[in-house]
Amino acid sequence: MRRLLLDARAVMASPNRNARSAVVWGRLLGIAFVVCFGTGVYSHLLQDPLPWMRFPTRPVQLYQFTQGLHITAGIAIIPLLLAKLNVVMPALAQVPPVRGVLHLLERLSIAVLVSASIVQVGTGLLNTYQWYPFPFPFRQTHNAMAYVIIGSLVVHIASKLPVIARYWRARDAYDAEGRFVADPTVGSELLPDGREARPAVGERPADEQTVGSYPRGLTGRLLRWVDGAAAPAAPAAPAAPAAPAAPAASRAERQFTDRESREVSQDAKNGAGTTGVGEEAEAGGASRPAHTDRAARSEQAGSQRGPEHDDTRSGPRQRIARRGFVAAVTAATVGVVALTAGQSNRLLEPLNVFGARQRHVGPQALPVNRTARAAGVLATATAADWTLTVVGPDVTRTFSRAELVALGTATADLPISCVEGWSQMASWRGVRMRDLLASVQADPASPLRITSLEQRGGYRATEMGAEYAADPTTLLALEVNGQTLDLDHGFPARVIAPGRPGVLQTKWIGKIEVIR
């Protein structure tokens, strides 16, 4: 087992896999997790607020910003997490695997952090496309997993604090030549950078084992470039068949042979005896001295070792390998963000290739998540006798659509901002919510319960805080972008309020009541 672990560590060693790289990628990953946690908790509390909570209604695009940031940071976590896992791979092959109870607990916390992160990012990505192949409820599980990740992240940072402090700055991690400085006193589980630091396993040195482990062709060249490994040397030409071994010579004969070899070498240096040496070589080199063979083999081995054994070149090569890895991860992160953030960001809208929704695509140039057909309201929402029931503390009234218009309408520019990450500004026209409450003699700053014509669904009935009901831009919308609401946008009437998730902007409203 020890040999297998050492072999695995030798194969996985790379200039990119050291404690400094782990700190750098861990730092970026930690920032992304904290951003996702903060914005995610805010979104969750908007949907399930505590009784004493009040939320800001300005700026009106607040939720558009926070949820767009949440989804963008969550997508950026994917390449950052892969980079971090790639860097710490040698730590999986520790020798020994567990060094005690505390070390076991530390490794378990890392296992929880990694597994929870993968599940969280994977299910979150699927949620942006509204695909739920898993058997558990997404929102509740996603919220609970966020606390698991942050808790295990705190434990992980606490256990690695000496390593983080030691390698926080690049100037403390590399020498003047660009080679990683391994500090065994901080307890890092990653191997030092460079092939010369790898333990040999079996009969071959570790550098030969690693070079031989790369695949052939373009893939192998790319991996060697990323890892800073030298290309394998071309195989040496086959040596000439050795002459039959001569009988063991006596001590006197060996002394004579050595003396004669030295004389021949001296003659060759002075330009004499060339013909004799050539004739001796053509004769099979039977009298060639043993030390000459050893020197030749040493010179041949030195030429086969290549530049990777040249310590003066290892630093720049390691620096280039690290920069290549950083450039690749940066390009991947910027790419996935740029190709998805356009669903909530106007500037990146032309680059939105993989986003779940395209801005300005849908009925009335506005995307739709849940259609009227999916909600099962095709008949009830288009019924000629539709009325809205408004229940106040003491007065209850019903309104037809014409009667709602008669109350007076106002216009507000508010975004639809969905939890899946997409958002778009639109111009809405309808009855102010506070005017509707005044018609039933209710306090304009009253908490409300709003019920849809839907017969089932987690958001069939939603609650609205008093701060939203009293806001002058909160509307019972009847039109969007200068047209009567499309059925998929909530006809005959829907709620639109500033700074609220799209799932709470209830469509196909049938009833509004004041919560007492």
Side-chain angles (χ1 to χ4, degrees):
M1 178 60 72
R2 178 181 176 84
R3 168 174 284 190
L4 291 175
L5 291 175
L6 290 175
D7 195 8
R9 288 173 71 90
V11 170
M12 290 187 291
S14 163
N16 306 313
R17 294 174 179 146
N18 57 52
R20 166 63 184 174
S21 296
V23 170
V24 170
W25 297 116
R27 189 162 57 198
L28 296 175
L29 193 59
I31 293 173
F33 271 127
V34 170
V35 170
C36 278
F37 179 74
T39 53
V41 169
Y42 179 70
S43 178
H44 183 79
L45 291 176
L46 279 174
Q47 299 175 60
D48 291 317
L50 299 176
W52 49 268
M53 286 185 171
R54 295 293 181 269
F55 298 95
T57 60
R58 294 292 184 279
V60 297
Q61 294 172 287
L62 178 60
Y63 187 74
Q64 181 182 24
F65 172 77
T66 60
Q67 193 63 11
L69 183 61
H70 179 82
I71 299 299
T72 300
I75 291 175
I77 282 176
I78 297 175
L80 293 176
L81 181 60
L82 293 176
K84 174 71 172 183
L85 293 177
N86 176 75
V87 166
V88 300
M89 281 178 61
L92 301 177
Q94 296 180 58
V95 181
V98 177
R99 298 191 297 268
V101 175
L102 292 179
H103 186 236
L104 175 61
L105 294 176
E106 176 190 335
R107 302 207 78 181
L108 289 176
S109 69
I110 294 174
V112 170
L113 174 60
V114 172
S115 57
S117 300
I118 293 174
V119 172
Q120 188 80 331
V121 172
T123 56
L125 184 62
L126 294 177
N127 176 68
T128 63
Y129 293 92
Q130 294 186 310
W131 183 36
Y132 307 101
F134 34 85
F136 47 84
F138 168 76
R139 188 165 65 91
Q140 292 79 0
T141 304
H142 199 68
N143 181 61
M145 291 288 284
Y147 289 94
V148 172
I149 290 174
I150 292 300
S152 56
L153 183 62
V154 170
V155 173
H156 179 62
I157 292 175
S159 64
K160 296 297 182 184
L161 200 56
V163 180
I164 295 173
R166 171 64 179 82
Y167 293 109
W168 185 263
R169 299 183 301 181
R171 66 183 183 185
D172 296 332
Y174 303 107
D175 61 16
E177 298 295 330
R179 293 181 295 263
F180 175 69
V181 178
D183 187 350
T185 63
V186 297
S188 174
E189 297 163 345
L190 297 178
L191 289 175
D193 210 350
R195 302 297 190 272
E196 67 279 0
R198 301 181 183 183
V201 181
E203 298 180 355
R204 294 182 299 158
D207 58 344
E208 294 179 7
Q209 294 174 4
T210 304
V211 170
S213 67
Y214 289 102
R216 297 179 180 179
L218 180 60
T219 302
R221 293 191 188 98
L222 179 61
L223 292 177
R224 279 193 296 270
W225 177 77
V226 169
D227 285 347
S250 65
R251 179 177 181 181
E253 290 174 339
R254 291 197 301 271
Q255 291 176 348
F256 175 80
T257 301
D258 291 340
R259 184 172 61 255
E260 186 178 23
S261 299
R262 287 193 296 272
E263 292 173 357
V264 171
S265 298
Q266 185 64 33
D267 290 341
K269 179 183 293 186
N270 296 330
T274 305
T275 304
V277 173
E279 292 173 351
E280 187 178 31
E282 291 175 358
S287 62
R288 188 176 183 178
H291 77 277
T292 304
D293 291 337
R294 288 195 300 270
R297 287 195 298 270
S298 176
E299 182 179 357
Q300 181 181 8
S303 64
Q304 291 179 354
R305 279 200 303 267
E308 110 177 28
H309 289 270
D310 187 355
D311 191 61
T312 61
R313 296 182 58 184
S314 65
R317 188 177 64 249
Q318 292 175 20
R319 187 184 295 112
I320 291 173
R322 290 192 297 268
R323 289 176 178 175
F325 184 68
V326 170
V329 177
T330 301
T333 305
V334 172
V336 296
V337 168
L339 296 178
T340 54
Q343 62 183 341
S344 61
N345 186 287
R346 181 185 303 174
L347 296 178
L348 296 175
E349 183 179 340
L351 303 179
N352 183 24
V353 176
F354 299 116
R357 296 289 183 275
Q358 295 284 345
R359 291 161 58 91
H360 307 289
V361 175
Q364 299 169 320
L366 191 65
V368 171
N369 261 6
R370 186 170 174 81
T371 64
R373 182 178 297 278
V377 297
L378 289 176
T380 54
T382 57
D385 60 347
W386 172 86
T387 58
L388 172 68
T389 302
V390 181
V391 181
D394 302 308
V395 178
T396 298
R397 290 185 60 182
T398 59
F399 297 89
S400 66
R401 200 170 188 280
E403 291 172 332
L404 288 172
V405 173
L407 289 177
T409 58
T411 301
D413 292 335
L414 298 173
I416 282 287
S417 308
C418 285
V419 294
E420 293 83 9
W422 70 268
S423 59
Q424 184 181 324
M425 183 68 75
S427 179
W428 307 87
R429 186 169 186 82
V431 182
R432 287 191 176 96
M433 188 62 71
R434 62 183 186 182
D435 294 340
L436 194 61
L437 294 178
S439 69
V440 293
Q441 302 176 12
D443 184 353
S446 299
L448 306 175
R449 179 178 294 109
I450 304 167
T451 305
S452 173
L453 296 175
E454 295 182 73
Q455 297 302 307
R456 56 185 176 275
Y459 296 96
R460 175 178 175 268
T462 61
E463 294 186 359
M464 175 183 286
E467 66 274 25
Y468 295 105
D471 192 282
T473 62
T474 299
L475 303 179
L476 179 71
L478 306 174
E479 299 177 5
V480 62
N481 293 334
Q483 302 175 7
T484 300
L485 280 174
D486 186 88
L487 186 59
D488 284 339
H489 283 312
F491 177 87
R494 70 169 299 166
V495 166
I496 189 72
R500 299 239 304 168
V503 291
L504 301 182
Q505 312 281 37
T506 310
K507 298 192 288 188
W508 314 291
I509 297 178
K511 186 178 182 179
I512 298 176
E513 54 187 319
V514 174
I515 300 176
R516 306 187 187 192

